[in-house]
Amino acid sequence: MAAAAGPTVRRRQLGAELRRKREEAGLSHDEVADALTGMSQPKLSRIENGRGATKVDDVKKLLSLYKCEDTDLISALVGMAKNGSQRGMWWQSYGAHINPTLGDLITLEATASSVRNYEGAFIPGLLQTPAYAREIIKKLNMRPDINVEALVDVRMARQSALTRNDPLTLWAVIHEAAIRSHVGGPAIMAEQLSRLLDRATLPNINLQVMPISAPAHHGMGGAFTILGFPQRQDLDVVMVDGTLSNLWVEDAVDVDVFAAKFDAIRADALGLDDSLAIITDQRDKIT
């Protein structure tokens, strides 16, 4: 399924923010349509429901009509409109192999400033080697027509977000079971653990291990990823992993719950140095 199908996370958020500002201004759809040339009631409804790309000029006109004076919000929403109308991004050539959730994730990673990730079963995708990623993708995808190599290529390309000029800050907590698993055999796993140790030397990457001996902790609820954005914290989003599909959490109050959850997980995990020591010990055991 092509990633462009349906409203994206950012389009939904853009529409929701514009709807909120309209309601704060006390204006109906009809009143907005009467006030702005080229803005019909159906068009405004499509914008507010995230159905299709929204023009930057329309965003500016709407916010001006609503008398929005929050410069940070204006900048963030205009940026959403610009990104939403972009075409020909590197991953578009893989469109036949990328589902909507992955398409959203790639787009958000390209503009995010931070990622906080808890993984209980395997190494986070942004830190995987090609060989490890290939094994994980083969095991987790049940569709017979899946193009494993295309998805490996996509996963590797996503990792450029960690080394770009303004790199993504990644804080990952990985359960010890994922560190000690034998995905693909000793050689592939040893290479993967070496990759973790190498990435951990970068100033924008922090790795922690949740020990098997840990008592009950918030990570037991399952894996999730929080994407943070520089303009405004209330535009952060969460992706919650599921068996058949992933869930996007976009409401600011709910995102705050996951942020608190991640802080609790981080507090229960091993410290940074002890975490790297466990990864090193396991790597050395299997090499």
Side-chain angles (χ1 to χ4, degrees), residues 67-127:
K67 295 181 169 53
C68 177
E69 297 179 352
D70 186 336
T71 55
D72 287 340
L73 179 62
I74 293 171
S75 175
L77 298 187
V78 167
M80 285 184 191
K82 287 179 178 178
N83 293 330
S85 63
Q86 287 181 351
R87 294 292 184 271
M89 298 177 69
W90 64 264
W91 54 269
Q92 293 292 337
S93 61
Y94 293 95
H97 313 291
I98 297 177
N99 62 34
T101 301
L102 179 55
D104 274 341
L105 178 62
I106 294 169
T107 302
L108 291 168
E109 285 175 345
T111 56
S113 58
S114 67
V115 166
R116 287 165 284 175
N117 181 206
Y118 174 74
E119 288 289 355
F122 48 80
I123 307 303
L126 287 174
L127 299 171

Side-chain angles (χ1 to χ4, degrees), residues 118-124 128 132 136 140 173-183 189 219 222-223 241:
Y118 174 74
E119 288 289 355
F122 48 80
I123 307 303
Q128 293 177 5
Y132 182 95
I136 294 296
L140 295 188
V173 180
I174 309 167
H175 197 277
E176 185 179 348
I179 301 298
R180 299 200 182 279
S181 67
H182 288 179
V183 173
M189 199 63 207
D241 289 4

Side-chain angles (χ1 to χ4, degrees), residues 4-247:
T8 65
V9 173
R10 274 308 188 226
R11 284 176 182 171
R12 287 195 300 267
Q13 282 196 304
L14 173 58
E17 287 294 325
L18 290 173
R19 181 174 61 250
R20 182 174 65 84
K21 299 308 293 183
R22 175 180 59 77
E23 291 171 347
E24 288 178 358
L27 297 173
S28 68
H29 282 185
D30 288 338
E31 288 171 328
V32 173
D34 289 340
L36 295 178
T37 301
M39 182 62 65
S40 65
Q41 192 277 341
K43 179 178 179 180
L44 181 58
S45 180
R46 287 196 299 272
I47 289 173
E48 291 186 350
N49 286 294
R51 302 292 179 183
T54 302
K55 295 180 179 179
V56 171
D57 286 345
D58 286 335
V59 172
K60 291 179 178 179
K61 289 177 182 178
L62 289 169
L63 292 176
S64 176
L65 178 64
Y66 303 155
K67 295 181 169 53
C68 177
E69 297 179 352
D70 186 336
T71 55
D72 287 340
L73 179 62
I74 293 171
S75 175
L77 298 187
V78 167
M80 285 184 191
K82 287 179 178 178
N83 293 330
S85 63
Q86 287 181 351
R87 294 292 184 271
M89 298 177 69
W90 64 264
W91 54 269
Q92 293 292 337
S93 61
Y94 293 95
H97 313 291
I98 297 177
N99 62 34
T101 301
L102 179 55
D104 274 341
L105 178 62
I106 294 169
T107 302
L108 291 168
E109 285 175 345
T111 56
S113 58
S114 67
V115 166
R116 287 165 284 175
N117 181 206
Y118 174 74
E119 288 289 355
F122 48 80
I123 307 303
L126 287 174
L127 299 171
Q128 293 177 5
T129 65
Y132 182 95
R134 188 172 294 109
E135 293 295 320
I136 294 296
I137 290 169
K138 285 192 294 186
K139 291 297 182 182
L140 295 188
N141 285 278
M142 303 300 291
R143 287 168 46 194
D145 60 340
I146 196 75
N147 188 322
V148 174
E149 292 308 313
L151 292 178
V152 171
D153 289 346
V154 169
R155 190 163 296 183
M156 295 305 104
R158 284 173 49 209
Q159 296 179 5
S160 64
L162 297 173
T163 55
R164 65 195 185 200
N165 290 335
D166 184 19
L168 197 63
T169 297
L170 172 65
W171 197 302
V173 180
I174 309 167
H175 197 277
E176 185 179 348
I179 301 298
R180 299 200 182 279
S181 67
H182 288 179
V183 173
I188 287 177
M189 199 63 207
E191 179 190 36
Q192 177 59 71
L193 296 177
S194 292
R195 170 68 65 86
L196 287 182
L197 295 171
D198 177 68
R199 288 303 195 190
T201 63
L202 297 177
N204 57 309
I205 298 178
N206 289 297
L207 300 180
Q208 287 182 266
V209 173
M210 179 65 74
I212 292 175
S213 60
H217 58 85
H218 285 280
M220 290 177 170
F224 63 93
T225 302
I226 306 172
L227 293 109
F229 297 86
Q231 300 98 332
R232 293 171 65 94
Q233 184 177 342
D234 58 3
L235 296 179
D236 293 355
V237 295
V238 180
M239 188 180 74
V240 182
D241 289 4
T243 301
L244 296 178
S245 62
N246 295 326
L247 169 70

